[in-house]
Structure formats: structure tokens, C-alpha cells
Amino acid sequence: MLKQSKYNIVTEYEGYSLLYNTKTGSFASVSDVSHEAIINALNDPNGEVEDRIKTGLLEGGFICPAELDEFEEIKAFSLQRLNNKSELHLTLFPTEACNFRCPYCFIYNKRGISMKSEVYNSILQLIKKHATSDHLVHISWFGGEPTLEKVNIIKFCHAVNKLVEENNLRPVIYDMVTNGYLMSSDNFQEYYNVGIRHFQITLDGYDEDHDTTRCLRDGTGTFKVIWENMISLKELKGDFEVY
């Protein structure tokens, strides 16, 4: 027996049904032709449902076994991460400031403060205290807009890498979520050189849509600069990922 996931969000946009499951992160775009079949399958997954539709909905977590307690599964996953003694995953906010003024943002009109040197030092001590040769240390840079604090990020990564080398620890995994506006190839190379190899650059669609919601403080659009930056990264050599 099957049931619809309680974590589904279904909406319509320009002739398509959009399905998103907040538990699995799965997303599906369904044309009008298949809309009714999909909705029927969600509402009655034990009824007459095409195999391909049922398989897709199961794989995405949009429907699931009736006996599955989704909340308990989420809780168990959270506890597993909390009690994981083999990984130290830190999400660092080097600054709450941002060079954008996106209308939906909850950060930019707040305090706008940046992380102080004593906080960086405390994080170093935390890593030194808890990390062992078996630990995986994972540092995620977030914001605000982290690239506004490039100097401090580079300096801190150098310090962490030195700590890793001196204590024979596993190489640190770094990633960064950025709006990409300041991610020129030269700046990118500096981040790459200290070990940041995974980047998520945010776009709100193509240029016209993007520039409506992701603009500078004076209202100027940002798509062109971000896109040119990303194109320039394609010319660089190295093992890195940009999402």
C-alpha cells in the first residue's frame, strides 16, 4: 500500500504543474497533458496508475509506502548527523552584509555585521580540539554574501590548512554559496588555491527575470556580470564544481 507524502508542494505555472517535495528535495515539472494523471496518482496512489508515473513518484518521494513514518525518518536522520563523530560540518557566516538588494531576502536589512577575528580563532580551536585523523572536516561559507569578506576567508582557510598539515588531519572540504557577482576568474583562483572547490551560484532564471529580483543596491541588474564570470570560469583548469 502507498500514500502521498505529507511534504509535497504542488502549484501551477504557465501551463505546467510543479511538484516539490521538501523532504527529498525532488522537483518535477509536469505538462498539462499529464497533469490529471499525476494529481490522481498523488491522491490515490493505490488506484490505477501507470507504472512509469508510479515509479517516478516513488523515486522522488512524492508517494511512499503507507507504513513509512516520514517524520520519524527525518528525526532519525537529524539525530544521526548530530551524533556523527566522524564528521565536523561547520556553516560559517563571514558577514550578514550583501551587495545585492533582493526584495525577498531576510538578511540584508538586518545588522549587516561581519565575523570578528576572535570568532575565527575560536573556530580554529574548535577544529583543533575535536578533529582527529579520522575526522572529515567540512566548512561551508554562507551569508549575506561571503565574497565581501574574501581577505578574511582566504586568511582563515590558510590557517585551517596549516592546522590540518601540522596535525596530520584529512584534507578539509570547503564549499561556498555566493551570488557570483564578485566571482571573477582572478578571485576564483584565490579561493581555489586555498582549497575551496565547490560553489553554488544563484540565478533567478534568465536575464530579465533575474534582474527583477537580484539587483544591486541602486536597482541595477546583475545577470550580465554573473554570467560573464561563470563563462570565464570555464576557461580555468582544475578540479572544481560550480552549481
Side-chain angles (χ1 to χ4, degrees):
M1 297 293 288
L2 301 170
K3 65 179 179 181
Q4 179 178 178
S5 170
K6 65 174 67 177
Y7 296 97
N8 287 340
I9 295 175
V10 182
T11 188
E12 295 183 19
Y13 180 73
E14 294 188 352
Y16 286 85
S17 295
L18 306 179
L19 284 66
Y20 178 60
N21 187 278
T22 59
K23 174 174 171 282
T24 64
S26 297
F27 176 81
S29 175
V30 182
S31 68
D32 277 346
V33 177
S34 304
H35 170 81
E36 185 175 353
I38 295 294
I39 297 303
N40 288 340
L42 290 174
N43 292 332
D44 184 15
N46 298 299
E48 293 186 8
V49 181
E50 289 184 50
D51 288 341
R52 64 180 184 87
I53 292 179
K54 182 178 289 187
T55 299
L57 293 176
L58 276 169
E59 289 178 349
F62 299 108
I63 58 175
C64 57
E67 67 275 12
L68 177 66
D69 189 326
E70 294 180 283
F71 179 73
E72 284 299 321
E73 193 172 67
I74 292 173
K75 190 164 71 171
F77 175 78
S78 298
L79 289 173
Q80 182 185 35
R81 292 298 299 270
L82 286 171
N83 296 321
N84 186 355
K85 303 302 181 183
S86 63
E87 180 176 347
L88 181 62
H89 192 160
L90 305 173
T91 299
L92 306 184
F93 280 60
T95 183
E96 291 181 356
C98 188
N99 48 347
F100 283 16
R101 282 297 180 266
C102 306
Y104 50 72
C105 185
F106 59 92
I107 282 289
Y108 75 81
N109 60 349
K110 305 299 181 183
R111 293 173 295 176
I113 60 175
S114 296
M115 203 155 71
K116 297 180 180 179
S117 57
E118 53 262 36
V119 178
Y120 283 107
N121 291 333
S122 294
I123 296 169
L124 276 174
Q125 294 306 312
L126 174 70
I127 296 173
K128 186 174 182 179
K129 179 179 179 180
H130 290 283
T132 67
S133 58
D134 295 327
H135 259 82
L136 174 64
V137 179
H138 189 158
I139 295 177
S140 299
W141 295 103
F142 200 67
E145 174 47 41
T147 58
L148 295 175
E149 290 290 317
K150 184 186 77 169
V151 173
N152 284 329
I153 289 175
I154 298 296
K155 180 180 178 181
F156 178 76
C157 289
H158 275 303
V160 172
N161 295 340
K162 182 179 179 182
L163 178 67
V164 166
E165 184 177 354
E166 290 176 346
N167 292 274
N168 194 32
L169 304 178
R170 294 169 64 181
V172 176
I173 295 177
Y174 296 101
D175 62 63
M176 178 184 288
V177 178
T178 170
N179 59 38
Y181 193 80
L182 299 177
M183 194 60 74
S184 65
S185 56
D186 288 342
N187 287 338
F188 182 90
Q189 193 67 56
E190 290 189 65
Y191 293 122
Y192 181 86
N193 290 343
V194 293
I196 307 179
R197 306 291 167 85
H198 307 275
F199 299 83
Q200 178 180 316
I201 296 179
T202 312
L203 294 172
D204 282 4
Y206 290 108
D207 50 1
E208 185 176 349
D209 290 332
H210 174 95
D211 287 344
T212 300
T213 55
R214 298 189 68 77
C215 50
L216 298 177
R217 298 183 183 194
D218 62 1
T220 303
T222 59
F223 184 91
K224 186 174 185 293
V225 172
I226 298 170
W227 192 258
E228 289 175 349
N229 284 342
M230 289 196 294
I231 293 299
S232 71
L233 300 185
K234 293 179 67 175
E235 306 302 320
L236 300 179
K237 295 181 179 179
D239 182 17
F240 60 87
E241 295 177 315
V242 179
Y243 295 97

